[in-house]
């Protein structure tokens, strides 16, 4: 008999009226599933298909803003490639740049300037012509917001020299850093400088991308429609994320995992951006084959879900100045248990602040990472106990998966006598709180980079990522020091090596500065008729680029 989520949910509701308790067996974690991609749709995904009238994607994340200048939260990133164009894009980890607005670029011999020529026929969705002054203004404005974390450490300013040329003035010789050129060229969307409005663009941006917003319902949905006047008409120059395979895309926000899966099963949506470990059984068999009526495909993500410790020394953090307490917490956490229990087939365990997808990942780290050892954890607790065993705050975004992870960490720490409070915040609030180092002691977040681990470390662990009370810090509040210097060595083209990347790993592991949990394996599922599922570098679904059968009919048609 075919299992259905609707039936199980009904049974669960009935049982909950008369009983409670019970448990479940943790699913076995495997990264091999994502590598094999063994789905019934694997062959069909290569077919060209046709353009659909509508596609509705159920997604388990809030969309707080559509303007990347306001901060690139998960929901923002989902729609960025549809609504906006940058100079270039990076389609996947390690791949070469694809042209968007940028036509060509040149790096100076001394590594201090980067010159870009743009196409001379670019316009936004309102028909405003885009020239080099708009590009320079966009970069300088984004830098001024403090949100341009992808390239702020590399770029000092941008300057238009004529209508089609922009010169990027780098900080010193930053073009010599391994990720600098790609990060700058792909890191900023371009707006018409005279049309931009920080208020209205949050929900109704006028970008240069192939789709424009037609409806924004806060907390519920966003609708975008194909721009028939998209400026790039030469298909040979079209970046892979700029396809217009759908007339209208509806992004329907469904935060609860079971309800998200149920929406696909009952036909409320055409596809979902994520299927949790508990719900894979309704769309895929044990061998990784999609069940009748569905297309399912796994995608490895470059993200590392991690626990970082608040390292800012003067904001009230109870862990910043207590290395032994941080080590106790790391040795108390059973990351394999957390990953298997919460994520099952949908993740692989992370060793260090890394995933094996990166070319500079070292498998030896799997032997050297701080593991699960209760007795070793207890041995580090003397000072914590002397200080009265204060309650620590672990903060996370208020979604089901990360909240469960925080609760499991809370319980592991309780076993060795560490008191911990779980603090959750919605996406918009979390994006603010994570850089307010007075709000938390530990934080669960996910981070990645499109180029390399050296670039990831340089971005997040150097004291150039953000600032607090005027002090430059890493993403978890660590001021300038030895770790920043190690990151700089690892990320410089002249000194980059596996040994240099290993030195960063050794430092943050020995000093318990942050701790990897898992790397997501994201299962995207859709109903039959969607023959090819496409994602971007973070494995976020891009439904406007899906392939469709010629007779495809969406639920909103």
């Amino acid at each position: 008999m075919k299992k259905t989520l609707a039936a199980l949910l009904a049974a669960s509701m009935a049982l909950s009226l008369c009983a409670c308790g019970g448990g479940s067996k943790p699913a076995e974690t495997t990264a091999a599933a994502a590598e094999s991609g063994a789905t019934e749709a694997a062959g069909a995904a290569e077919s060209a298909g046709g353009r659909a009238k509508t596609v509705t994607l159920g997604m388990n994340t809030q969309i707080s803003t559509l303007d990347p200048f306001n901060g690139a939260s998960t929901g923002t990133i989902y729609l960025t490639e549809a609504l906006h164009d940058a100079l270039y894009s990076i389609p996947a980890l390690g791949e070469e740049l694809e042209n968007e607005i940028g036509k060509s670029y040149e790096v100076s011999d001394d590594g201090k300037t980067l010159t870009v020529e743009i196409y001379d026929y670019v316009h936004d969705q309102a028909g405003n012509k885009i020239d080099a002054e708009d590009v320079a203004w966009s970069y300088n404005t984004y830098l001024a917001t403090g949100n341009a974390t992808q390239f702020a450490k590399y770029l000092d300013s941008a300057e238009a020299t004529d209508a089609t040329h922009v010169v990027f003035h780098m900080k010193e010789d930053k073009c010599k850093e391994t990720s600098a050129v790609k990060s700058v060229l792909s890191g900023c969307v371009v707006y018409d400088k005279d049309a931009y409005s920080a208020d209205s663009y949050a929900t109704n941006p006028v970008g240069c991308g192939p789709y424009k917003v037609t409806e924004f319902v806060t907390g519920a949905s966003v609708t975008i429609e194909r721009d028939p006047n998209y400026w790039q008409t030469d298909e040979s120059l079209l970046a892979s994320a700029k396809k217009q395979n759908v007339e209208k895309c509806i992004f329907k926000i469904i935060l609860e995992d079971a309800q998200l899966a149920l929406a696909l099963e009952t036909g409320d949506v055409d596809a979902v951006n994520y299927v949790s470990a508990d719900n894979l059984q309704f769309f895929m068999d044990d061998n990784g084959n999609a069940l009748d009526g569905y297309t399912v495909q796994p995608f490895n993500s470059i993200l590392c879900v991690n626990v970082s410790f608040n390292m800012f020394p003067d904001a009230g953090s109870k862990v910043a100045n207590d290395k032994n307490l941080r080590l106790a917490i790391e040795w108390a956490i059973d990351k394999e248990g957390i990953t298997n229990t919460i994520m099952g087939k949908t993740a692989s365990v992370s060793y260090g602040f890394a995933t094996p997808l990166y070319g500079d990942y070292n498998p030896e780290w799997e032997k050297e990472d701080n593991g699960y050892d209760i007795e070793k954890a207890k041995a580090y607790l003397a000072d914590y106990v002397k200080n009265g065993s204060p309650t620590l705050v672990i903060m996370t975004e208020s979604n089901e998966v990360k909240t469960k992870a925080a609760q499991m960490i809370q319980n592991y720490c309780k076993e060795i006598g560490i008191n911990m409070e779980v603090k959750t915040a919605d996406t918009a609030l979390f994006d603010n709180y994570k850089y307010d180092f007075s709000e938390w002691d530990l934080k669960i977040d996910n981070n990645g980079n499109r180029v390399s681990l050296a670039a990831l470390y340089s971005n997040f662990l150097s004291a150039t990522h953000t600032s607090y009370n005027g002090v430059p810090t890493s993403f978890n509040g660590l001021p300038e020091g030895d770790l920043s210097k190690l990151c700089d060595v690892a990320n410089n083209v002249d000194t980059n090596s596996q040994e240099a990347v290993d030195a960063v790993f050794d430092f943050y592991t020995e000093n318990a500065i942050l701790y990897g949990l898992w790397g997501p394996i994201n299962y995207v599922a859709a109903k039959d008729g969607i023959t090819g599922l496409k994602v971007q570098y973070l494995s976020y679904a891009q439904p406007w680029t899906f392939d469709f059968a010629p007779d495809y009919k969406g639920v909103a048609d």
Side-chain angles (χ1 to χ4, degrees):
M1 179 183 295
K2 180 179 177 181
K3 292 177 285 189
T4 68
L5 181 57
L8 288 183
L9 283 175
S12 176
M13 289 175 66
L15 286 172
S16 68
L17 295 176
C18 57
C20 62
S24 60
K25 182 180 179 181
E28 182 179 355
T29 299
T30 173
E35 294 180 4
S36 66
T39 68
E40 290 181 351
E46 298 178 1
S47 63
R51 180 182 291 164
K53 183 178 179 182
T54 69
V55 63
T56 301
L57 178 78
M59 58 189 298
N60 66 334
T61 186
Q62 288 283 8
I63 303 173
S64 58
T65 179
L66 298 176
D67 177 11
F69 285 11
N70 288 334
S73 63
T74 300
T76 308
I77 296 171
Y78 261 96
L79 282 89
T80 294
E81 289 283 8
L83 302 176
H84 304 286
D85 280 354
L87 291 173
Y88 290 82
S89 59
I90 303 175
L93 178 65
E95 292 190 9
E96 293 305 310
L97 293 165
E98 290 185 343
N99 300 69
E100 292 190 6
I101 290 173
K103 183 178 181 180
S104 64
Y105 68 91
E106 182 179 356
V107 180
S108 65
D109 292 338
D110 60 8
K112 294 182 178 181
T113 61
L114 173 63
T115 302
V116 178
E117 180 185 6
I118 68 170
Y119 292 108
D120 62 3
Y121 52 90
V122 183
H123 60 79
D124 67 14
Q125 293 149 359
N128 300 308
K129 183 173 176 58
I130 300 297
D131 61 20
E133 286 193 6
D134 295 305
V135 175
W137 176 89
S138 295
Y139 272 86
N140 292 330
T141 300
Y142 194 21
L143 279 171
T145 67
N147 293 322
T149 57
Q150 180 175 317
F151 61 83
K153 68 171 294 179
Y154 308 124
L155 183 63
D156 186 52
S157 64
E159 175 191 12
T161 56
D162 60 32
T164 57
H165 289 82
V166 182
V167 175
F168 293 94
H169 300 284
M170 310 297 280
K171 294 179 178 177
E172 300 175 344
D173 57 353
K174 287 295 186 179
C175 281
K176 291 186 177 181
E177 297 204 13
T178 61
S179 59
V181 172
K182 285 185 175 181
S183 296
V184 171
L185 292 179
S186 64
C188 182
V189 303
V190 175
Y191 291 122
D192 176 81
K193 61 183 177 62
D194 296 320
Y196 179 74
S197 166
D199 292 332
S200 64
Y201 275 35
T203 57
N204 189 25
V206 180
C208 298
Y211 285 81
K212 52 189 177 182
V213 179
T214 55
E215 186 178 42
F216 185 105
V217 182
T218 302
S221 66
V222 175
T223 301
I224 63 175
E225 295 187 19
R226 184 177 73 90
D227 182 2
N229 300 312
Y230 180 51
W231 67 271
Q232 185 54 279
T233 58
D234 186 340
E235 291 192 6
S236 69
L237 300 175
L238 205 61
S240 56
K242 304 302 173 179
K243 295 178 180 179
Q244 294 179 306
N245 290 354
V246 186
E247 291 293 335
K248 178 190 292 187
C249 292
I250 303 166
F251 296 82
K252 189 173 182 179
I253 299 169
I254 306 172
L255 299 179
E256 205 278 319
D257 291 347
Q259 295 301 321
L260 184 66
L262 183 63
L264 179 59
E265 185 182 64
T266 58
D268 287 339
V269 298
D270 298 297
V272 291
N273 72 318
Y274 165 80
V275 182
S276 69
D278 291 339
N279 296 314
L280 271 177
Q281 60 180 314
F282 304 110
F283 309 107
M284 190 179 76
D285 65 24
D286 293 338
N287 296 318
N289 299 311
L291 299 180
D292 290 344
Y294 299 106
T295 296
V296 183
Q297 194 166 345
F299 297 94
N300 272 310
S301 172
I302 66 171
L303 291 174
C304 174
V305 177
N306 61 87
V307 178
S308 62
F309 294 97
N310 183 342
M311 299 299 295
F312 196 83
D314 301 314
S317 169
K318 305 174 193 70
V319 298
N321 300 309
D322 192 341
K323 173 182 171 181
N324 284 342
L325 177 56
R326 300 194 303 269
L327 284 167
I329 292 169
E330 290 195 0
W331 285 105
I333 296 173
D334 180 4
K335 67 169 71 182
E336 286 84 0
I338 291 175
T339 302
N340 291 343
T341 300
I342 299 175
M343 302 301 292
K345 293 180 179 180
T346 64
S348 59
V349 176
S350 284
Y351 298 95
F353 184 32
T355 73
L357 280 182
Y358 291 92
D360 45 357
Y361 177 82
N362 188 346
E364 291 298 313
W365 297 347
E366 297 169 19
K367 305 173 186 177
E368 300 167 5
D369 194 33
N370 295 336
Y372 175 49
D373 189 322
I374 291 293
E375 294 308 313
K376 185 173 287 190
K378 289 179 179 178
Y380 286 110
L381 281 179
D383 289 342
Y384 173 74
V385 174
K386 286 181 183 177
N387 292 329
S389 303
T391 298
L392 309 181
V393 175
I394 181 169
M395 185 183 74
T396 186
E397 195 174 355
S398 55
N399 66 43
E400 188 173 349
V401 166
K402 289 177 182 173
T403 300
K404 285 181 180 178
Q407 291 168 344
M408 288 190 72
I409 291 171
Q410 178 187 40
N411 289 332
Y412 282 128
C413 288
K414 185 177 180 180
E415 287 184 29
I416 65 168
I418 295 177
N419 304 311
M420 195 170 289
E421 170 193 346
V422 175
K423 177 179 181 178
T424 63
D426 63 31
T427 301
L429 201 55
F430 178 78
D431 287 341
N432 288 324
Y433 279 171
K434 65 183 180 182
Y435 295 126
D436 183 346
F437 301 119
S438 67
E439 289 288 340
W440 51 275
D441 298 297
L442 296 84
K443 166 177 62 72
I444 298 178
D445 203 355
N446 44 254
N447 308 93
N449 185 276
R450 289 176 277 185
V451 180
S452 64
L453 285 176
L456 174 71
Y457 295 162
S458 181
N459 183 6
F460 291 101
L461 299 183
S462 292
T464 52
H465 184 83
T466 187
S467 64
Y468 185 71
N469 291 342
V471 179
T473 77
S474 69
F475 85 130
N476 61 329
L478 187 66
E480 179 72 32
D482 291 339
L483 184 56
S484 282
K485 295 173 184 177
L486 291 171
C487 290
D488 289 343
V489 172
N491 198 39
N492 188 291
V493 294
D494 294 329
T495 53
N496 171 260
S497 66
Q498 187 59 55
E499 290 75 17
V501 177
D502 288 346
V504 178
F505 168 87
D506 291 341
F507 188 92
Y508 69 66
T509 301
E510 292 167 6
N511 290 280
I513 290 170
L514 77 165
Y515 187 71
L517 292 176
W518 70 77
I521 301 172
N522 188 39
Y523 284 81
V524 179
K527 67 179 188 178
D528 273 352
I530 298 179
T531 58
L533 302 172
K534 307 293 175 64
V535 300
Q536 46 82 282
Y537 68 97
L538 291 171
S539 79
Y540 295 165
Q542 296 184 320
W544 63 93
T545 68
F546 286 178
D547 292 328
F548 300 88
D551 59 348
Y552 182 78
K553 185 176 182 180
V555 298
D557 287 3

